[in-house]
Amino acid sequence: SQQGEEDPQALSIQEGENATMNCSYKTSINNLQWYRQNSGRGLVHLILIRSNEREKHSGRLRVTLDTSKKSSSLLITASRAADTASYFCATDRDTGRRALTFGSGTRLQVQP
Amino acid sequence: GAGVSQSPSNKVTEKGKDVELRCDPISGHTALYWYRQRLGQGLEFLIYFQGNSAPDKSGLPSDRFSAERTGESVSTLTIQRTQQEDSAVYLCASSPPGQGVAKLFFGSGTQLSVL
Protein backbone atom coordinates (compact mmCIF):
# COMPACT_ATOMS: atom_id res chain seq x y z
CA SER A 1 0.00 0.00 0.00
CA GLN A 2 1.15 3.56 -0.60
CA GLN A 3 2.33 5.40 2.47
CA GLY A 4 2.57 8.77 0.81
CA GLU A 5 -0.17 10.78 -0.75
CA GLU A 6 0.54 13.83 -2.84
CA ASP A 7 -1.77 16.69 -3.47
CA PRO A 8 -2.86 18.08 -5.69
CA GLN A 9 -3.10 15.10 -8.04
CA ALA A 10 -2.72 17.48 -10.96
CA LEU A 11 -1.53 21.07 -11.24
CA SER A 12 -1.48 23.36 -14.25
CA ILE A 13 0.37 26.69 -14.13
CA GLN A 14 1.89 29.26 -16.46
CA GLU A 15 5.60 29.46 -17.12
CA GLY A 16 7.28 31.72 -14.56
CA GLU A 17 4.82 30.91 -11.78
CA ASN A 18 5.71 28.88 -8.69
CA ALA A 19 4.45 25.34 -8.23
CA THR A 20 3.82 23.82 -4.80
CA MET A 21 3.19 20.13 -4.26
CA ASN A 22 2.47 18.47 -0.95
CA CYS A 23 3.11 14.99 0.37
CA SER A 24 1.71 13.34 3.47
CA TYR A 25 2.84 10.08 5.00
CA LYS A 26 1.62 7.83 7.78
CA THR A 27 4.53 6.43 9.77
CA SER A 28 7.76 7.85 11.17
CA ILE A 29 10.49 8.17 8.58
CA ASN A 30 14.24 8.32 8.24
CA ASN A 31 14.44 10.35 5.03
CA LEU A 32 12.06 11.82 2.48
CA GLN A 33 13.01 12.21 -1.14
CA TRP A 34 11.40 13.82 -4.18
CA TYR A 35 11.69 12.31 -7.64
CA ARG A 36 10.58 13.54 -11.06
CA GLN A 37 9.19 11.27 -13.76
CA ASN A 38 8.89 12.33 -17.36
CA SER A 39 6.49 10.58 -19.72
CA GLY A 40 5.68 7.81 -17.25
CA ARG A 41 9.09 6.18 -17.45
CA GLY A 42 12.37 6.54 -15.50
CA LEU A 43 12.54 8.59 -12.33
CA VAL A 44 15.18 11.18 -11.56
CA HIS A 45 16.20 11.99 -8.01
CA LEU A 46 15.70 15.66 -7.13
CA ILE A 47 16.39 16.17 -3.46
CA LEU A 48 16.55 14.37 -0.12
CA ILE A 49 15.64 15.78 3.28
CA ARG A 50 16.44 13.96 6.49
CA SER A 51 13.99 13.62 9.35
CA ASN A 52 16.00 16.05 11.50
CA GLU A 53 15.96 18.75 8.81
CA ARG A 54 13.15 21.24 8.26
CA GLU A 55 14.06 22.88 4.98
CA LYS A 56 16.42 22.29 2.10
CA HIS A 57 17.19 24.13 -1.13
CA SER A 58 18.62 23.02 -4.43
CA GLY A 59 18.60 25.50 -7.28
CA ARG A 60 14.94 26.39 -7.95
CA LEU A 61 13.73 23.67 -5.59
CA ARG A 62 12.77 24.18 -1.98
CA VAL A 63 11.66 21.30 0.20
CA THR A 64 10.17 21.53 3.66
CA LEU A 65 9.49 18.76 6.13
CA ASP A 66 7.15 18.85 9.11
CA THR A 67 7.51 15.58 11.00
CA SER A 68 4.84 16.58 13.54
CA LYS A 69 2.31 16.77 10.72
CA LYS A 70 3.94 13.98 8.73
CA SER A 71 4.03 16.16 5.64
CA SER A 72 6.45 17.66 3.15
CA SER A 73 6.17 20.23 0.41
CA LEU A 74 8.12 20.75 -2.79
CA LEU A 75 8.25 24.25 -4.22
CA ILE A 76 9.51 24.86 -7.74
CA THR A 77 10.14 28.54 -8.32
CA ALA A 78 10.03 30.34 -11.67
CA SER A 79 8.70 27.25 -13.42
CA ARG A 80 9.63 26.36 -16.98
CA ALA A 81 7.87 24.26 -19.61
CA ALA A 82 10.62 21.67 -19.11
CA ASP A 83 9.42 21.19 -15.51
CA THR A 84 6.31 19.47 -16.89
CA ALA A 85 6.41 15.99 -15.33
CA SER A 86 5.03 13.90 -12.50
CA TYR A 87 6.55 14.44 -9.07
CA PHE A 88 6.69 11.76 -6.39
CA CYS A 89 7.68 11.78 -2.77
CA ALA A 90 9.34 8.67 -1.38
CA THR A 91 10.06 7.77 2.23
CA ASP A 92 12.19 5.25 4.01
CA ARG A 93 11.88 4.17 7.60
CA ASP A 94 14.59 3.69 10.18
CA THR A 95 14.12 -0.07 10.20
CA GLY A 96 17.05 -1.09 8.07
CA ARG A 97 14.78 -1.98 5.17
CA ARG A 98 15.93 -0.66 1.85
CA ALA A 99 12.44 -0.28 0.40
CA LEU A 100 11.25 3.19 -0.52
CA THR A 101 7.53 3.87 -0.21
CA PHE A 102 6.27 6.16 -2.95
CA GLY A 103 3.27 8.42 -3.03
CA SER A 104 0.81 8.52 -5.88
CA GLY A 105 2.34 11.61 -7.48
CA THR A 106 1.41 15.08 -8.68
CA ARG A 107 1.18 15.68 -12.42
CA LEU A 108 2.52 19.16 -13.14
CA GLN A 109 1.78 20.89 -16.43
CA VAL A 110 3.64 24.14 -17.11
CA GLN A 111 2.09 26.08 -19.95
CA PRO A 112 4.58 28.07 -22.07
CA GLY B 1 27.63 2.09 -18.32
CA ALA B 2 26.16 5.54 -18.59
CA GLY B 3 22.97 4.65 -16.79
CA VAL B 4 20.65 1.85 -15.76
CA SER B 5 19.55 -0.07 -18.82
CA GLN B 6 16.38 -2.14 -19.05
CA SER B 7 15.19 -4.44 -21.79
CA PRO B 8 12.90 -4.85 -23.51
CA SER B 9 11.41 -1.36 -23.31
CA ASN B 10 8.02 -2.79 -24.24
CA LYS B 11 6.66 -6.32 -23.97
CA VAL B 12 3.27 -7.55 -25.07
CA THR B 13 2.37 -11.07 -24.04
CA GLU B 14 -0.62 -13.33 -23.79
CA LYS B 15 -2.17 -14.30 -20.51
CA GLY B 16 -0.52 -17.44 -19.15
CA LYS B 17 2.86 -16.93 -20.81
CA ASP B 18 6.10 -16.38 -18.92
CA VAL B 19 8.14 -13.20 -19.35
CA GLU B 20 11.68 -12.18 -18.43
CA LEU B 21 12.66 -8.58 -17.85
CA ARG B 22 16.30 -7.58 -17.75
CA CYS B 23 18.14 -4.86 -15.87
CA ASP B 24 21.76 -3.74 -16.31
CA PRO B 25 22.66 -1.47 -13.38
CA ILE B 26 25.31 1.21 -13.37
CA SER B 27 28.75 -0.38 -13.12
CA GLY B 28 29.94 -0.58 -9.53
CA HIS B 29 26.47 -0.18 -8.02
CA THR B 30 26.08 -2.97 -5.50
CA ALA B 31 22.43 -2.41 -4.66
CA LEU B 32 19.68 -3.14 -7.18
CA TYR B 33 15.95 -2.68 -6.82
CA TRP B 34 12.84 -3.67 -8.77
CA TYR B 35 9.67 -1.61 -8.56
CA ARG B 36 6.31 -1.88 -10.31
CA GLN B 37 4.19 1.08 -11.38
CA ARG B 38 0.59 0.63 -12.43
CA LEU B 39 -0.98 3.24 -14.67
CA GLY B 40 -1.39 6.58 -12.92
CA GLN B 41 -0.02 5.31 -9.63
CA GLY B 42 3.13 5.48 -7.57
CA LEU B 43 5.83 2.84 -7.44
CA GLU B 44 5.46 -0.41 -5.50
CA PHE B 45 8.61 -2.03 -4.12
CA LEU B 46 9.16 -5.59 -5.30
CA ILE B 47 12.65 -6.78 -4.34
CA TYR B 48 16.10 -5.53 -3.31
CA PHE B 49 19.49 -7.08 -4.07
CA GLN B 50 22.73 -6.41 -2.26
CA GLY B 51 25.35 -7.99 -4.45
CA ASN B 52 23.85 -11.26 -5.66
CA SER B 53 21.71 -11.92 -2.62
CA ALA B 54 18.18 -10.66 -2.01
CA PRO B 55 17.74 -9.69 1.64
CA ASP B 56 14.28 -8.28 0.99
CA LYS B 57 11.80 -10.01 -1.29
CA SER B 58 8.79 -8.84 0.67
CA GLY B 59 7.26 -6.89 -2.20
CA LEU B 60 6.94 -9.78 -4.64
CA PRO B 61 3.15 -10.09 -5.03
CA SER B 62 2.97 -13.85 -5.54
CA ASP B 63 5.09 -16.93 -6.15
CA ARG B 64 4.69 -16.31 -9.88
CA PHE B 65 7.26 -13.54 -9.46
CA SER B 66 10.96 -14.28 -9.01
CA ALA B 67 14.21 -12.46 -9.59
CA GLU B 68 17.87 -13.23 -9.65
CA ARG B 69 21.09 -11.32 -9.99
CA THR B 70 24.40 -12.68 -11.19
CA GLY B 71 27.93 -11.34 -11.13
CA GLU B 72 26.81 -8.43 -8.97
CA SER B 73 25.54 -6.99 -12.20
CA VAL B 74 22.64 -8.02 -14.40
CA SER B 75 19.30 -8.88 -12.85
CA THR B 76 16.35 -10.69 -14.35
CA LEU B 77 12.77 -10.42 -13.11
CA THR B 78 10.65 -13.38 -14.21
CA ILE B 79 6.88 -13.47 -14.14
CA GLN B 80 5.36 -16.90 -14.73
CA ARG B 81 1.85 -17.52 -16.01
CA THR B 82 1.21 -13.82 -16.53
CA GLN B 83 -2.16 -12.35 -15.61
CA GLN B 84 -3.78 -9.16 -16.87
CA GLU B 85 -3.24 -7.51 -13.49
CA ASP B 86 0.51 -7.88 -14.07
CA SER B 87 0.29 -5.18 -16.75
CA ALA B 88 2.43 -2.29 -15.53
CA VAL B 89 5.77 -0.56 -16.00
CA TYR B 90 8.54 -2.48 -14.25
CA LEU B 91 11.33 -0.19 -13.12
CA CYS B 92 14.81 -1.14 -12.04
CA ALA B 93 17.06 1.09 -9.96
CA SER B 94 20.57 0.85 -8.58
CA SER B 95 22.67 2.69 -6.04
CA PRO B 96 26.38 2.78 -5.20
CA PRO B 97 27.95 1.33 -2.04
CA GLY B 98 27.35 3.31 1.11
CA GLN B 99 24.45 5.26 -0.36
CA GLY B 100 21.68 3.21 1.22
CA VAL B 101 18.39 4.32 -0.30
CA ALA B 102 19.46 7.97 -0.31
CA LYS B 103 19.52 8.31 -4.08
CA LEU B 104 18.37 5.71 -6.56
CA PHE B 105 19.24 5.76 -10.23
CA PHE B 106 16.35 4.46 -12.29
CA GLY B 107 16.18 2.86 -15.70
CA SER B 108 13.48 3.78 -18.20
CA GLY B 109 11.45 0.70 -17.37
CA THR B 110 9.76 -2.11 -19.24
CA GLN B 111 6.13 -1.54 -20.18
CA LEU B 112 4.47 -4.95 -19.83
CA SER B 113 1.07 -5.49 -21.40
CA VAL B 114 -0.72 -8.78 -20.77
CA LEU B 115 -3.56 -9.39 -23.20
Side-chain angles (χ1 to χ4, degrees):
Chain A
S1 63
Q2 298 291 331
Q3 156 150 268
E5 293 294 332
E6 280 96 335
D7 81 272
Q9 290 187 331
L11 179 62
S12 182
I13 59 174
Q14 296 293 317
E15 210 165 24
E17 294 180 338
N18 295 342
T20 300
M21 289 159 270
N22 302 295
C23 165
S24 61
Y25 55 91
K26 297 175 184 172
T27 62
S28 62
I29 63 169
N30 198 29
N31 303 295
L32 186 144
Q33 304 176 54
W34 286 89
Y35 285 82
R36 182 184 71 212
Q37 184 179 41
N38 289 85
S39 305
R41 299 306 285 260
L43 280 76
V44 175
H45 179 268
L46 295 176
I47 195 166
L48 176 148
I49 187 165
R50 302 191 187 284
S51 59
N52 62 354
E53 297 176 313
R54 292 296 167 259
E55 187 170 313
K56 204 161 183 180
H57 297 254
S58 176
R60 293 185 296 112
L61 305 179
R62 173 178 169 254
V63 170
T64 62
L65 179 65
D66 187 335
T67 52
S68 67
K69 295 181 179 178
K70 293 187 169 58
S71 68
S72 172
S73 68
L74 172 67
L75 168 68
I76 304 174
T77 60
S79 63
R80 305 166 182 168
D83 295 329
T84 295
S86 290
Y87 292 82
F88 294 88
C89 67
T91 57
D92 67 275
R93 300 176 64 185
D94 192 14
T95 59
R97 284 195 72 210
R98 298 284 285 265
L100 288 178
T101 302
F102 283 80
S104 51
T106 292
R107 294 184 304 281
L108 174 65
Q109 177 77 41
V110 182
Q111 306 285 353
Chain B
V4 177
S5 177
Q6 292 189 245
S7 61
S9 56
N10 290 281
K11 176 72 177 178
V12 180
T13 191
E14 294 179 350
K15 178 182 172 181
K17 301 277 186 165
D18 298 352
V19 294
E20 282 190 356
L21 312 180
R22 177 187 168 104
C23 172
D24 282 274
I26 294 171
S27 179
H29 282 199
T30 52
L32 185 148
Y33 308 80
W34 283 98
Y35 283 82
R36 177 172 71 178
Q37 185 179 29
R38 291 198 167 108
L39 186 63
Q41 298 185 23
L43 280 67
E44 303 170 73
F45 169 79
L46 296 178
I47 188 169
Y48 151 62
F49 286 92
Q50 182 62 44
N52 292 338
S53 64
D56 191 345
K57 308 179 183 180
S58 62
L60 294 178
S62 75
D63 58 8
R64 295 187 296 105
F65 287 72
S66 63
E68 64 174 17
R69 188 180 185 194
T70 55
E72 295 198 352
S73 180
V74 173
S75 177
T76 302
L77 177 68
T78 301
I79 309 173
Q80 296 178 311
R81 305 180 303 281
T82 52
Q83 303 294 314
Q84 288 182 333
E85 63 262 27
D86 299 334
S87 295
V89 175
Y90 289 82
L91 290 153
C92 175
S94 66
S95 65
Q99 194 79 0
V101 287
K103 180 177 179 179
L104 302 189
F105 295 80
F106 281 86
S108 296
T110 294
Q111 172 74 64
L112 175 65
S113 300
V114 182
L115 304 179

mmCIF file of all heavy atoms in Angstrom, chain A residues 3 25 27-33 48-54 65 67 90-101, chain B residues 99-102:
data_model
loop_
_atom_site.group_PDB
_atom_site.id
_atom_site.type_symbol
_atom_site.label_atom_id
_atom_site.label_comp_id
_atom_site.label_asym_id
_atom_site.label_seq_id
_atom_site.Cartn_x
_atom_site.Cartn_y
_atom_site.Cartn_z
ATOM 1 N N GLN A 3 2.302 4.634 1.237
ATOM 2 C CA GLN A 3 2.331 5.399 2.475
ATOM 3 C C GLN A 3 2.070 6.854 2.180
ATOM 4 O O GLN A 3 1.392 7.520 2.950
ATOM 5 C CB GLN A 3 3.684 5.237 3.168
ATOM 6 C CG GLN A 3 4.004 6.402 4.092
ATOM 7 C CD GLN A 3 4.855 6.029 5.266
ATOM 8 O OE1 GLN A 3 4.369 5.711 6.323
ATOM 9 N NE2 GLN A 3 6.160 6.098 5.058
ATOM 10 N N TYR A 25 2.485 11.478 4.771
ATOM 11 C CA TYR A 25 2.838 10.083 5.004
ATOM 12 C C TYR A 25 2.306 9.655 6.359
ATOM 13 O O TYR A 25 1.839 10.482 7.143
ATOM 14 C CB TYR A 25 4.355 9.892 4.896
ATOM 15 C CG TYR A 25 5.170 10.787 5.804
ATOM 16 C CD1 TYR A 25 5.525 10.376 7.080
ATOM 17 C CD2 TYR A 25 5.590 12.045 5.381
ATOM 18 C CE1 TYR A 25 6.270 11.190 7.914
ATOM 19 C CE2 TYR A 25 6.333 12.864 6.208
ATOM 20 C CZ TYR A 25 6.670 12.433 7.468
ATOM 21 O OH TYR A 25 7.409 13.253 8.294
ATOM 22 N N THR A 27 3.706 6.949 8.674
ATOM 23 C CA THR A 27 4.531 6.434 9.771
ATOM 24 C C THR A 27 5.779 7.295 9.921
ATOM 25 O O THR A 27 6.082 8.127 9.063
ATOM 26 C CB THR A 27 4.947 4.988 9.501
ATOM 27 O OG1 THR A 27 5.748 4.955 8.309
ATOM 28 C CG2 THR A 27 3.734 4.085 9.306
ATOM 29 N N SER A 28 6.518 7.096 10.989
ATOM 30 C CA SER A 28 7.762 7.847 11.174
ATOM 31 C C SER A 28 8.755 7.453 10.090
ATOM 32 O O SER A 28 8.741 6.319 9.596
ATOM 33 C CB SER A 28 8.337 7.567 12.553
ATOM 34 O OG SER A 28 8.645 6.198 12.676
ATOM 35 N N ILE A 29 9.584 8.390 9.697
ATOM 36 C CA ILE A 29 10.492 8.172 8.576
ATOM 37 C C ILE A 29 11.923 8.490 8.952
ATOM 38 O O ILE A 29 12.198 9.145 9.964
ATOM 39 C CB ILE A 29 10.096 9.030 7.349
ATOM 40 C CG1 ILE A 29 10.208 10.526 7.693
ATOM 41 C CG2 ILE A 29 8.709 8.665 6.848
ATOM 42 C CD1 ILE A 29 10.100 11.432 6.477
ATOM 43 N N ASN A 30 12.828 8.013 8.115
ATOM 44 C CA ASN A 30 14.241 8.319 8.238
ATOM 45 C C ASN A 30 14.593 9.478 7.295
ATOM 46 O O ASN A 30 15.200 10.461 7.705
ATOM 47 C CB ASN A 30 15.044 7.073 7.871
ATOM 48 C CG ASN A 30 16.466 7.135 8.371
ATOM 49 O OD1 ASN A 30 16.747 7.768 9.388
ATOM 50 N ND2 ASN A 30 17.354 6.472 7.657
ATOM 51 N N ASN A 31 14.211 9.328 6.048
ATOM 52 C CA ASN A 31 14.438 10.350 5.029
ATOM 53 C C ASN A 31 13.204 10.481 4.152
ATOM 54 O O ASN A 31 12.420 9.534 4.028
ATOM 55 C CB ASN A 31 15.610 9.973 4.106
ATOM 56 C CG ASN A 31 16.890 9.727 4.836
ATOM 57 O OD1 ASN A 31 17.458 10.626 5.431
ATOM 58 N ND2 ASN A 31 17.353 8.487 4.803
ATOM 59 N N LEU A 32 13.092 11.633 3.500
ATOM 60 C CA LEU A 32 12.063 11.817 2.484
ATOM 61 C C LEU A 32 12.746 12.360 1.244
ATOM 62 O O LEU A 32 13.583 13.267 1.331
ATOM 63 C CB LEU A 32 10.970 12.776 2.968
ATOM 64 C CG LEU A 32 9.761 12.951 2.043
ATOM 65 C CD1 LEU A 32 8.477 13.106 2.856
ATOM 66 C CD2 LEU A 32 9.937 14.106 1.083
ATOM 67 N N GLN A 33 12.413 11.786 0.112
ATOM 68 C CA GLN A 33 13.010 12.214 -1.144
ATOM 69 C C GLN A 33 11.905 12.640 -2.111
ATOM 70 O O GLN A 33 10.771 12.183 -1.997
ATOM 71 C CB GLN A 33 13.797 11.060 -1.787
ATOM 72 C CG GLN A 33 14.856 10.459 -0.900
ATOM 73 C CD GLN A 33 15.538 9.271 -1.529
ATOM 74 O OE1 GLN A 33 16.047 9.362 -2.643
ATOM 75 N NE2 GLN A 33 15.553 8.145 -0.833
ATOM 76 N N LEU A 48 16.825 15.180 -1.307
ATOM 77 C CA LEU A 48 16.546 14.370 -0.121
ATOM 78 C C LEU A 48 16.579 15.268 1.096
ATOM 79 O O LEU A 48 17.456 16.143 1.216
ATOM 80 C CB LEU A 48 17.597 13.272 0.016
ATOM 81 C CG LEU A 48 17.537 12.361 1.251
ATOM 82 C CD1 LEU A 48 18.034 10.959 0.899
ATOM 83 C CD2 LEU A 48 18.346 12.921 2.417
ATOM 84 N N ILE A 49 15.644 15.057 2.004
ATOM 85 C CA ILE A 49 15.641 15.783 3.276
ATOM 86 C C ILE A 49 15.561 14.758 4.393
ATOM 87 O O ILE A 49 14.779 13.803 4.319
ATOM 88 C CB ILE A 49 14.485 16.819 3.329
ATOM 89 C CG1 ILE A 49 14.609 17.686 4.578
ATOM 90 C CG2 ILE A 49 13.115 16.168 3.220
ATOM 91 C CD1 ILE A 49 13.757 18.955 4.528
ATOM 92 N N ARG A 50 16.398 14.914 5.382
ATOM 93 C CA ARG A 50 16.440 13.965 6.486
ATOM 94 C C ARG A 50 15.399 14.344 7.533
ATOM 95 O O ARG A 50 14.950 15.491 7.612
ATOM 96 C CB ARG A 50 17.837 13.952 7.117
ATOM 97 C CG ARG A 50 18.917 13.602 6.105
ATOM 98 C CD ARG A 50 20.267 13.330 6.742
ATOM 99 N NE ARG A 50 21.296 13.175 5.729
ATOM 100 C CZ ARG A 50 21.452 12.089 4.981
ATOM 101 N NH1 ARG A 50 20.660 11.040 5.142
ATOM 102 N NH2 ARG A 50 22.416 12.026 4.078
ATOM 103 N N SER A 51 15.079 13.398 8.395
ATOM 104 C CA SER A 51 13.994 13.620 9.351
ATOM 105 C C SER A 51 14.325 14.704 10.359
ATOM 106 O O SER A 51 13.421 15.290 10.959
ATOM 107 C CB SER A 51 13.656 12.313 10.085
ATOM 108 O OG SER A 51 14.799 11.826 10.762
ATOM 109 N N ASN A 52 15.631 15.003 10.555
ATOM 110 C CA ASN A 52 15.999 16.054 11.502
ATOM 111 C C ASN A 52 16.203 17.416 10.826
ATOM 112 O O ASN A 52 16.661 18.366 11.455
ATOM 113 C CB ASN A 52 17.254 15.668 12.285
ATOM 114 C CG ASN A 52 18.461 15.477 11.392
ATOM 115 O OD1 ASN A 52 18.360 15.529 10.168
ATOM 116 N ND2 ASN A 52 19.618 15.253 12.001
ATOM 117 N N GLU A 53 15.873 17.494 9.540
ATOM 118 C CA GLU A 53 15.961 18.754 8.806
ATOM 119 C C GLU A 53 14.566 19.303 8.575
ATOM 120 O O GLU A 53 13.587 18.540 8.471
ATOM 121 C CB GLU A 53 16.676 18.547 7.462
ATOM 122 C CG GLU A 53 18.123 18.099 7.617
ATOM 123 C CD GLU A 53 18.788 17.814 6.277
ATOM 124 O OE1 GLU A 53 18.180 17.113 5.433
ATOM 125 O OE2 GLU A 53 19.915 18.289 6.084
ATOM 126 N N ARG A 54 14.453 20.608 8.454
ATOM 127 C CA ARG A 54 13.145 21.236 8.262
ATOM 128 C C ARG A 54 13.007 21.851 6.877
ATOM 129 O O ARG A 54 11.904 21.984 6.364
ATOM 130 C CB ARG A 54 12.907 22.291 9.326
ATOM 131 C CG ARG A 54 12.755 21.694 10.708
ATOM 132 C CD ARG A 54 11.517 20.809 10.790
ATOM 133 N NE ARG A 54 11.509 19.991 11.998
ATOM 134 C CZ ARG A 54 11.845 18.711 12.003
ATOM 135 N NH1 ARG A 54 12.241 18.095 10.897
ATOM 136 N NH2 ARG A 54 11.815 18.012 13.144
ATOM 137 N N LEU A 65 9.926 19.980 5.471
ATOM 138 C CA LEU A 65 9.486 18.758 6.133
ATOM 139 C C LEU A 65 8.956 19.118 7.511
ATOM 140 O O LEU A 65 9.641 19.799 8.280
ATOM 141 C CB LEU A 65 10.639 17.760 6.252
ATOM 142 C CG LEU A 65 10.329 16.439 6.955
ATOM 143 C CD1 LEU A 65 9.306 15.626 6.163
ATOM 144 C CD2 LEU A 65 11.609 15.629 7.167
ATOM 145 N N THR A 67 7.709 16.952 10.507
ATOM 146 C CA THR A 67 7.508 15.583 11.002
ATOM 147 C C THR A 67 6.336 15.503 11.978
ATOM 148 O O THR A 67 5.748 14.431 12.126
ATOM 149 C CB THR A 67 8.779 15.062 11.674
ATOM 150 O OG1 THR A 67 9.222 15.998 12.655
ATOM 151 C CG2 THR A 67 9.888 14.841 10.644
ATOM 152 N N ALA A 90 8.992 10.037 -1.753
ATOM 153 C CA ALA A 90 9.336 8.665 -1.376
ATOM 154 C C ALA A 90 9.972 8.697 0.005
ATOM 155 O O ALA A 90 10.828 9.545 0.276
ATOM 156 C CB ALA A 90 10.288 8.042 -2.392
ATOM 157 N N THR A 91 9.548 7.807 0.868
ATOM 158 C CA THR A 91 10.058 7.774 2.232
ATOM 159 C C THR A 91 10.718 6.428 2.541
ATOM 160 O O THR A 91 10.386 5.402 1.932
ATOM 161 C CB THR A 91 8.924 7.995 3.242
ATOM 162 O OG1 THR A 91 7.918 6.997 3.046
ATOM 163 C CG2 THR A 91 8.300 9.375 3.080
ATOM 164 N N ASP A 92 11.657 6.478 3.454
ATOM 165 C CA ASP A 92 12.190 5.250 4.006
ATOM 166 C C ASP A 92 12.153 5.353 5.528
ATOM 167 O O ASP A 92 12.207 6.454 6.075
ATOM 168 C CB ASP A 92 13.602 4.963 3.498
ATOM 169 C CG ASP A 92 14.630 5.955 3.981
ATOM 170 O OD1 ASP A 92 14.774 7.020 3.338
ATOM 171 O OD2 ASP A 92 15.278 5.689 5.020
ATOM 172 N N ARG A 93 12.018 4.224 6.150
ATOM 173 C CA ARG A 93 11.880 4.174 7.598
ATOM 174 C C ARG A 93 13.174 3.699 8.226
ATOM 175 O O ARG A 93 13.980 3.022 7.579
ATOM 176 C CB ARG A 93 10.729 3.245 7.962
ATOM 177 C CG ARG A 93 9.401 3.689 7.394
ATOM 178 C CD ARG A 93 8.301 2.698 7.692
ATOM 179 N NE ARG A 93 8.075 2.614 9.137
ATOM 180 C CZ ARG A 93 7.239 1.756 9.705
ATOM 181 N NH1 ARG A 93 6.568 0.908 8.948
ATOM 182 N NH2 ARG A 93 7.069 1.729 11.003
ATOM 183 N N ASP A 94 13.360 4.035 9.474
ATOM 184 C CA ASP A 94 14.595 3.693 10.176
ATOM 185 C C ASP A 94 14.510 2.263 10.711
ATOM 186 O O ASP A 94 14.623 2.019 11.908
ATOM 187 C CB ASP A 94 14.816 4.687 11.315
ATOM 188 C CG ASP A 94 16.217 4.560 11.887
ATOM 189 O OD1 ASP A 94 17.070 3.914 11.260
ATOM 190 O OD2 ASP A 94 16.452 5.097 12.995
ATOM 191 N N THR A 95 14.262 1.322 9.801
ATOM 192 C CA THR A 95 14.118 -0.071 10.200
ATOM 193 C C THR A 95 15.194 -0.945 9.569
ATOM 194 O O THR A 95 15.210 -2.149 9.783
ATOM 195 C CB THR A 95 12.751 -0.621 9.736
ATOM 196 O OG1 THR A 95 12.669 -0.496 8.311
ATOM 197 C CG2 THR A 95 11.619 0.155 10.383
ATOM 198 N N GLY A 96 16.050 -0.325 8.787
ATOM 199 C CA GLY A 96 17.048 -1.092 8.075
ATOM 200 C C GLY A 96 16.580 -1.614 6.734
ATOM 201 O O GLY A 96 17.382 -2.095 5.943
ATOM 202 N N ARG A 97 15.275 -1.547 6.483
ATOM 203 C CA ARG A 97 14.777 -1.983 5.175
ATOM 204 C C ARG A 97 15.196 -0.992 4.114
ATOM 205 O O ARG A 97 15.225 0.210 4.340
ATOM 206 C CB ARG A 97 13.257 -2.088 5.187
ATOM 207 C CG ARG A 97 12.712 -3.300 5.907
ATOM 208 C CD ARG A 97 11.256 -3.482 5.551
ATOM 209 N NE ARG A 97 11.108 -3.951 4.176
ATOM 210 C CZ ARG A 97 10.073 -3.666 3.412
ATOM 211 N NH1 ARG A 97 9.110 -2.898 3.854
ATOM 212 N NH2 ARG A 97 9.990 -4.144 2.184
ATOM 213 N N ARG A 98 15.475 -1.509 2.930
ATOM 214 C CA ARG A 98 15.926 -0.658 1.845
ATOM 215 C C ARG A 98 14.790 -0.300 0.890
ATOM 216 O O ARG A 98 15.025 0.178 -0.205
ATOM 217 C CB ARG A 98 17.065 -1.357 1.100
ATOM 218 C CG ARG A 98 18.293 -1.630 1.967
ATOM 219 C CD ARG A 98 19.075 -0.377 2.190
ATOM 220 N NE ARG A 98 19.813 -0.014 1.003
ATOM 221 C CZ ARG A 98 21.085 -0.342 0.789
ATOM 222 N NH1 ARG A 98 21.739 -1.040 1.673
ATOM 223 N NH2 ARG A 98 21.693 0.030 -0.321
ATOM 224 N N ALA A 99 13.579 -0.548 1.286
ATOM 225 C CA ALA A 99 12.444 -0.283 0.396
ATOM 226 C C ALA A 99 11.965 1.154 0.571
ATOM 227 O O ALA A 99 11.684 1.590 1.678
ATOM 228 C CB ALA A 99 11.305 -1.245 0.710
ATOM 229 N N LEU A 100 11.877 1.875 -0.532
ATOM 230 C CA LEU A 100 11.249 3.189 -0.521
ATOM 231 C C LEU A 100 9.749 3.022 -0.717
ATOM 232 O O LEU A 100 9.316 2.167 -1.484
ATOM 233 C CB LEU A 100 11.794 4.063 -1.646
ATOM 234 C CG LEU A 100 13.222 4.585 -1.513
ATOM 235 C CD1 LEU A 100 13.599 5.393 -2.741
ATOM 236 C CD2 LEU A 100 13.370 5.430 -0.264
ATOM 237 N N THR A 101 8.981 3.851 -0.030
ATOM 238 C CA THR A 101 7.534 3.873 -0.205
ATOM 239 C C THR A 101 7.170 5.158 -0.927
ATOM 240 O O THR A 101 7.440 6.243 -0.422
ATOM 241 C CB THR A 101 6.818 3.798 1.145
ATOM 242 O OG1 THR A 101 7.225 2.618 1.829
ATOM 243 C CG2 THR A 101 5.311 3.755 0.930
ATOM 244 N N GLN B 99 25.484 4.245 -0.109
ATOM 245 C CA GLN B 99 24.447 5.257 -0.357
ATOM 246 C C GLN B 99 23.125 4.904 0.307
ATOM 247 O O GLN B 99 22.237 5.747 0.461
ATOM 248 C CB GLN B 99 24.255 5.397 -1.878
ATOM 249 C CG GLN B 99 23.481 6.614 -2.312
ATOM 250 C CD GLN B 99 24.327 7.867 -2.300
ATOM 251 O OE1 GLN B 99 25.499 7.852 -1.961
ATOM 252 N NE2 GLN B 99 23.737 8.977 -2.658
ATOM 253 N N GLY B 100 22.955 3.644 0.676
ATOM 254 C CA GLY B 100 21.677 3.214 1.215
ATOM 255 C C GLY B 100 20.593 3.440 0.195
ATOM 256 O O GLY B 100 20.760 3.168 -0.988
ATOM 257 N N VAL B 101 19.465 3.993 0.642
ATOM 258 C CA VAL B 101 18.386 4.323 -0.295
ATOM 259 C C VAL B 101 18.337 5.827 -0.523
ATOM 260 O O VAL B 101 17.315 6.375 -0.911
ATOM 261 C CB VAL B 101 17.010 3.835 0.201
ATOM 262 C CG1 VAL B 101 16.905 2.345 0.082
ATOM 263 C CG2 VAL B 101 16.736 4.289 1.608
ATOM 264 N N ALA B 102 19.471 6.506 -0.263
ATOM 265 C CA ALA B 102 19.458 7.966 -0.314
ATOM 266 C C ALA B 102 19.270 8.509 -1.714
ATOM 267 O O ALA B 102 18.791 9.613 -1.878
ATOM 268 C CB ALA B 102 20.739 8.524 0.293
#
